[in-house]
């Protein structure tokens, strides 16, 4: 059994009864498709004739909703950035970004937290700049599309604070 991922075949536990199961993942920035084809072995009399595809099904995910990448206004900064600065975040010198240093008990906790943040940031299509050494993680948030801080950065900074309390 194998799963076709792009052009490479990878071993898989997925299998059809008496046949082979091949799956293919296709992704664009706004739509992801999952195709599954189940191939059943042909009787000896039919070998070399038609392709043995018996079943094909495609699943499409909904297009990702993107938050606007609009730079925060001075009024929005007072409302959103000020609480972050009071919570330990700092403005980055020379650019419109916020950063914070997190410290965890050990590397496993730091890495687990980074995984949580990575999954949330992937969902939002907004990724951090970060640096990790053992139990320390430094995170910087800024939106490159608008050239500074946006609501995406505020939301992810709050997410970082909230999830770090779990560890």
């Amino acid at each position: 059994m194998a799963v076709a991922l792009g052009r490479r075949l990878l071993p898989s536990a997925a299998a059809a009864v008496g046949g082979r199961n091949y799956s293919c993942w296709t992704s664009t920035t706004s739509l992801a498709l999952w195709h599954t084809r189940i191939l059943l072995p042909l009787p000896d009399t039919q070998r070399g004739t038609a392709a043995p595809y018996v079943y094909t099904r495609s699943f499409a995910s909904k297009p990702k909703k993107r938050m606007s990448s609009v730079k925060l206004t001075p009024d929005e900064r007072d409302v959103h950035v000020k609480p972050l600065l009071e919570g330990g975040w700092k403005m980055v010198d020379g650019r419109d970004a916020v950063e914070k240093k997190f410290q965890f008990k050990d590397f496993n906790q730091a890495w687990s937290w980074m995984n949580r943040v990575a999954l949330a940031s992937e969902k939002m299509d907004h990724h951090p700049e970060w640096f990790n050494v053992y139990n320390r993680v430094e995170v910087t948030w800024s939106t490159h599309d608008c050239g500074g801080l946006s609501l995406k950065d505020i939301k992810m900074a709050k997410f970082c604070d909230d999830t770090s309390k779990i560890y």
Side-chain angles (χ1 to χ4, degrees):
M1 292 3 118
V3 173
L5 183 63
R7 294 181 181 172
R8 296 183 341 191
L9 288 176
L10 303 173
S12 171
V17 176
R20 292 180 292 178
N21 183 351
Y22 289 93
S23 298
C24 180
W25 173 256
T26 307
S27 178
T28 64
T29 55
S30 62
L31 186 67
L33 298 174
W34 183 258
H35 307 285
T36 301
R37 292 185 180 95
I38 298 174
L39 303 170
L40 295 176
L42 292 173
D44 290 336
T45 57
Q46 294 181 358
R47 289 187 195 265
T49 57
Y53 287 115
V54 173
Y55 173 79
T56 301
R57 183 164 181 189
S58 296
F59 305 92
S61 68
K62 293 181 181 178
K64 292 180 181 178
K65 291 183 180 178
R66 295 180 181 232
M67 291 178 66
S68 63
S69 295
V70 178
K71 198 170 182 177
L72 293 176
T73 65
D75 292 337
E76 290 174 324
R77 285 176 180 276
D78 289 339
V79 173
H80 298 296
V81 178
K82 205 171 196 177
L84 289 179
L85 297 176
E86 292 168 0
W89 290 85
K90 297 177 183 175
M91 294 300 296
V92 177
D93 292 334
R95 56 187 284 217
D96 192 19
V98 291
E99 68 178 355
K100 187 172 180 178
K101 296 177 183 180
F102 294 89
Q103 187 152 349
F104 300 92
K105 180 182 172 188
D106 55 24
F107 178 75
N108 286 336
Q109 283 189 357
W111 193 260
S112 294
W113 177 79
M114 288 175 70
N115 279 328
R116 239 178 227 242
V117 174
L119 291 172
S121 65
E122 183 66 20
K123 229 179 200 181
M124 282 187 60
D125 196 27
H126 187 59
H127 305 90
E129 297 172 23
W130 52 15
F131 179 75
N132 167 244
V133 175
Y134 186 61
N135 65 339
R136 291 176 289 130
V137 181
E138 298 173 18
V139 183
T140 303
W141 289 105
S142 182
T143 304
H144 302 286
D145 294 347
C146 70
L149 288 173
S150 72
L151 288 176
K152 288 181 180 182
D153 303 308
I154 304 304
K155 184 174 181 178
M156 289 307 299
K158 287 179 182 177
F159 181 82
C160 288
D161 282 338
D162 294 343
T163 54
S164 69
K165 293 173 187 171
I166 296 170
Y167 299 94

